[in-house]
């Protein structure tokens, strides 16, 4: 598990935005991963995706790394942000926009506003 922790740590710290998910950003393999990847893709966020289904050590390792039991998991600038429910809430409240702005992450503000309008 130490090797997995090292790999996770390197990935999280070397990418501004990382999504640990089931599947890939282009082909999610579960609804929760699809929702978060869909939000990030729609908002034009440049993010690294890590398919936990491809590596059992990473699949368990990411849960241990964050002390969070579920996948997907979003990291911004090396910090764990949350899973699907938290990202959904943050998107709808505008908190995700604020986090991206504070972290210097480029995203499409109009797309974020459209998500909120569609869910109002």
């Amino acid at each position: 598990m130490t090797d997995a922790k090292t790999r996770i740590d390197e990935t999280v710290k070397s990418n501004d935005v990382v999504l640990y998910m089931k599947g890939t950003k282009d082909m999610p393999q579960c609804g929760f991963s699809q929702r978060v990847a869909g939000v990030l893709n729609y908002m034009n966020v440049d993010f690294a995706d890590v398919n936990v289904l491809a590596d059992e050590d990473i699949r368990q390792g990411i849960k241990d790394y964050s002390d969070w039991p579920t996948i997907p998991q979003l990291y911004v600038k090396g910090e764990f942000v949350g899973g699907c429910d938290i990202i959904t809430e943050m998107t709808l409240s505008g908190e995700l926009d604020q986090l991206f702005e504070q972290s210097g992450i480029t995203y499409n503000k109009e797309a974020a506003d459209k998500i909120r309008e569609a869910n109002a």
Side-chain angles (χ1 to χ4, degrees), residues 15-42:
N15 293 281
D16 287 341
V17 182
V18 181
L19 181 63
Y20 283 84
M21 62 183 293
K22 293 178 180 175
T24 65
K25 62 174 120 182
D26 296 323
M27 189 180 274
Q29 298 292 304
C30 86
F32 299 114
S33 292
Q34 182 176 17
R35 179 180 294 176
V36 177
V39 165
L40 296 175
N41 283 328
Y42 189 74

Side-chain angles (χ1 to χ4, degrees), residues 22-79:
K22 293 178 180 175
T24 65
K25 62 174 120 182
D26 296 323
M27 189 180 274
Q29 298 292 304
C30 86
F32 299 114
S33 292
Q34 182 176 17
R35 179 180 294 176
V36 177
V39 165
L40 296 175
N41 283 328
Y42 189 74
M43 291 172 61
N44 281 338
V45 175
D46 182 27
F47 69 101
D49 56 337
V50 178
N51 180 1
V52 301
L53 298 177
D55 188 328
E56 186 58 39
D57 289 342
I58 296 296
R59 185 176 185 170
Q60 183 55 47
I62 194 62
K63 295 175 185 179
D64 297 336
Y65 185 84
S66 62
D67 197 27
W68 190 260
T70 60
I71 294 163
Q73 294 185 13
L74 181 67
Y75 291 78
V76 174
K77 295 283 188 170
E79 298 293 322

